[in-house]
Amino acid sequence: MKRILFILFALIVSSPVLATEEVANVENIGQIASLIRWSGVFFSLLVVAATWLLLKFINSMVESIGSQFAQYRMLLQKLQSFMQFFIYMSAGILVFMMSFRINDQILALIGGTLAVSVGFALKDLAASFIAGMTVMVDRPFQVGDRVTFEGNYGDVIAIGLRSVRMRTLNDDIITIPNNKFLNEVTVSGNYGALDMQVVIPFYVGLDEDITLARDLIQEAASSSRYIHLPKPVTVLVRQTITDNYLAIQLTCKAYVVDTAYEKLFETDITLRVMKEFKKHGIRPPKIAVNAG
């Protein structure tokens, strides 16, 4: 009996609190509903539909004109991007103005949303800006350097406050945020110099004339039109196993006169060495046979 009386007392005490919360929730819902201009919601839906049709029409026009006049395709695509951004912004503002009654509460809501959005957007931008200043002061690489970064290999063509642009050997332009360089390893092949060391491995059999092979590689590299002679040509020799082949690896280390000729230099030396190997009967390695 006491427990029943206690439960009834608790319900009587708590019922005003629950009622107050329900009233507050109803008032909040009512305030939100009062901000909506219901007559403008229908017209907002028409604006959204018209915007979608307009964008579809612009896309079809750009594709049609671009296919007929290829020389203007890039310009049309740039204009299309600008127009899409302008249409999205205009439609969004129009829909908002038609669907809501503008007052102090709406302005406060907009201001808070914009402040949070801008804060998140500026966070990465500020990090890239600080990293850009660090890159410019510390100078781990320079414009014109041939670098390796996260598997990408190419020339640095621009260092900005937000990002670094690199042109790969496939003529692709890669844009890398500056804050990436604070935590990743960057390898610079020339570091401000015009010349750069190029490493080219060759493999011959164990029974071949290693001294002759080394001399032929040395001569081929030294006589290349792309060689930077003020720096030495080195050929290193070691025994290795590669793809089940017992072989002698001869590594040619020579300097190309300009980083732009790196691959031409490598190709020139390889063709010369292969020709001399064939002429002197120096054969490639043979597959290893298990003794068992």
Side-chain angles (χ1 to χ4, degrees):
M1 187 65 180
K2 292 182 179 180
R3 181 176 297 177
I4 296 175
L5 293 174
F6 178 77
I7 294 174
L8 291 175
F9 178 77
L11 290 174
I12 294 172
V13 173
S14 61
S15 58
V17 177
L18 295 175
T20 303
E21 291 179 354
E22 291 179 357
V23 171
N25 292 333
V26 172
E27 291 179 353
N28 292 332
I29 295 174
Q31 291 177 355
I32 295 174
S34 64
L35 298 176
I36 299 176
R37 185 177 297 165
W38 298 103
S39 60
V41 172
F42 174 74
F43 294 100
S44 297
L45 295 176
L46 295 179
V47 170
V48 172
T51 301
W52 180 78
L53 292 175
L54 178 60
L55 292 175
K56 292 285 288 184
F57 175 75
I58 293 175
N59 291 338
S60 62
M61 288 294 295
V62 169
E63 291 179 1
S64 177
I65 298 175
S67 62
Q68 296 179 9
F69 303 96
Q71 65 273 25
Y72 299 115
R73 187 174 66 248
M74 298 298 293
L75 177 61
L76 289 173
Q77 289 176 347
K78 293 178 182 178
L79 292 175
Q80 179 188 9
S81 299
F82 174 78
M83 291 181 62
Q84 284 181 342
F85 177 78
F86 177 76
I87 291 172
Y88 279 132
M89 292 295 296
S90 301
I93 294 174
L94 182 60
V95 167
F96 182 82
M97 296 291 293
M98 294 174 61
S99 301
F100 293 93
R101 295 182 175 87
I102 306 301
N103 54 24
D104 294 339
Q105 294 180 350
I106 289 293
L107 293 178
L109 178 63
I110 294 174
T113 303
L114 288 178
V116 174
S117 301
V118 171
F120 277 108
L122 291 180
K123 177 175 68 68
D124 294 334
L125 184 62
S128 295
F129 178 81
I130 296 173
M133 297 296 295
T134 304
V135 168
M136 291 182 180
V137 173
D138 188 55
R139 301 182 71 188
F141 49 82
Q142 307 171 41
V143 174
D145 283 2
R146 183 154 289 190
V147 302
T148 302
F149 180 77
E150 290 188 341
N152 300 307
Y153 182 64
D155 299 319
V156 176
I157 59 175
I159 301 176
L161 291 177
R162 190 194 69 83
S163 62
V164 171
R165 285 185 173 86
M166 177 195 302
R167 177 182 283 113
T168 67
L169 301 187
N170 294 328
D171 206 26
D172 297 326
I173 303 298
I174 299 177
T175 302
I176 307 170
N178 287 331
N179 56 353
K180 293 282 188 179
F181 293 100
L182 297 181
N183 301 317
E184 300 293 337
V185 176
T186 305
V187 179
S188 177
N190 54 331
Y191 196 67
L194 191 59
D195 60 274
M196 183 183 69
Q197 186 184 84
V198 178
V199 179
I200 311 172
F202 296 96
Y203 299 92
V204 300
L206 297 176
D207 299 330
E208 304 303 317
D209 190 339
I210 307 303
T211 302
L212 176 60
R214 183 194 61 186
D215 294 340
L216 291 175
I217 295 173
Q218 186 100 21
E219 181 180 354
S222 301
S223 59
S224 175
R225 59 183 297 188
Y226 305 106
I227 188 68
H228 184 60
L229 286 177
K231 293 188 177 180
V233 177
T234 307
V235 179
L236 304 178
V237 180
R238 74 184 184 96
Q239 182 175 323
T240 184
I241 300 177
T242 174
D243 295 332
N244 293 326
Y245 284 84
L246 290 173
I248 297 296
Q249 177 179 330
L250 299 100
T251 304
C252 176
K253 294 185 176 182
Y255 287 81
V256 64
V257 67
D258 190 331
T259 56
Y261 303 132
E262 176 192 357
K263 294 304 177 183
L264 293 175
F265 182 52
E266 183 177 344
T267 301
D268 185 42
I269 293 178
T270 301
L271 291 175
R272 289 170 178 266
V273 170
M274 293 296 100
K275 181 179 178 180
E276 293 299 320
F277 279 4
K278 184 176 180 180
K279 179 180 178 180
H280 292 83
I282 298 177
R283 292 166 296 185
K286 299 178 181 179
I287 190 168
V289 180
N290 294 330

